[in-house]
Amino acid sequence: MKKYILISLSLIPFFAAAQNPARDYTNAVLWQQTSGEYRALCFQAYNFARLSLKEALWADTSKKPNCVIVDIDETVLDNAAFQGHEIKKGVSYVPADWTEWTNLAQADTVPGALAFLKFAASKNIETFYVSNRDEKDYTATLKNLQHFGFPYADDAHLIVSKGTSNKEPRRQKISSTHHILLLCGDNLSDFSNIFYRENKNTFEQVNASQNLFGTKYIVLPNPMYGDWEKPLYQGEKLSDKDKAKQRLERLKSF
């Protein structure tokens, strides 16, 4: 006697997602790749950056050379194509794939980034590119930036990770020789360690720093990845399926 198993059609998307947890990120990547809202938010961020830079210059009394610090990924270069590649492979992130992507030096610009940094350069304001890309990505990253004509894209101003993702020592080194007018990034750790690296309440720290956002700190939208996701997970050496399960459990509902 044959036995049959009936599966509700409404459950098919659930089972499909369970087989490919990386698909959790599909909407986030598509939003960055296709939505007008993403572009609008980037332009808005860099419009605020321009206004804030002008005000910072008017108030400037420092005798050090002026500069801005920018992150690279999802701040001046857009890696949504890489994220799409990973989803189609059924993975969330493979280091070898990232190296292959960066070596292509084909990341597009984040809307508004190039125009803003060229404006800063016209005011004799240097740009330091402080990235957590590895040293092995250095040459291709510089090539990618120079392809679009980003100002100060040179060995003196591109600072990648050397064994640590903590950017604070790099920011401090820059501040020893330059006056930092503002910082641009897609991750709160691009601005200060207080948000994620000091085990403090992130919401409370953001609230306490609210006057800095849009003035000293310019935040770019990135729904695809970031430090915000790390506190969601409990345990070590979690698989993509483990993480997908924990993401679902952390959702607020009613």
Side-chain angles (χ1 to χ4, degrees), residues 1-57:
M1 176 177 163
K2 294 182 179 180
K3 295 182 179 180
Y4 298 92
I5 299 175
L6 298 179
I7 299 177
S8 169
L9 290 177
S10 65
L11 293 178
I12 290 177
F14 171 80
F15 287 118
Q19 294 301 313
N20 183 4
R23 288 189 61 187
D24 283 5
Y25 300 98
T26 300
N27 276 4
V29 175
L30 281 173
W31 183 82
Q32 181 154 320
Q33 290 181 345
T34 67
S35 75
E37 286 81 357
Y38 167 73
R39 297 187 66 81
L41 286 170
C42 292
F43 286 132
Q44 177 175 269
Y46 280 117
N47 285 340
F48 267 106
R50 186 179 294 230
L51 292 172
S52 297
L53 198 61
K54 289 179 180 178
E55 291 190 7
L57 281 175

Side-chain angles (χ1 to χ4, degrees), residues 2-3 9 16 59 65 72 87 91 110 121 133 138 145 154 164-165 174 193 205 213 215 217-218 226 241 243-244:
K2 294 182 179 180
K3 295 182 179 180
L9 290 177
I72 291 180
I87 289 173
V91 296
V110 168
R133 291 189 176 198
Y138 186 94
L145 293 171
D154 55 37
T164 176
S165 61
I174 293 169
N193 281 2
Q205 294 304 315
F213 294 107
T215 54
Y217 301 157
I218 305 298
K241 288 184 179 180
K243 291 181 178 180

Side-chain angles (χ1 to χ4, degrees), residues 14 86 102 121 126 175 197 228 232:
F14 171 80
E86 298 298 83
T102 55
E126 297 178 43
S175 69
R197 290 183 169 272
W228 65 270
L232 298 180

Side-chain angles (χ1 to χ4, degrees), residues 229 233 238-248:
E229 194 175 349
Y233 306 127
L238 298 175
S239 68
D240 281 347
K241 288 184 179 180
D242 293 332
K243 291 181 178 180
K245 182 176 182 292
Q246 292 192 27
R247 286 194 295 272
L248 186 62

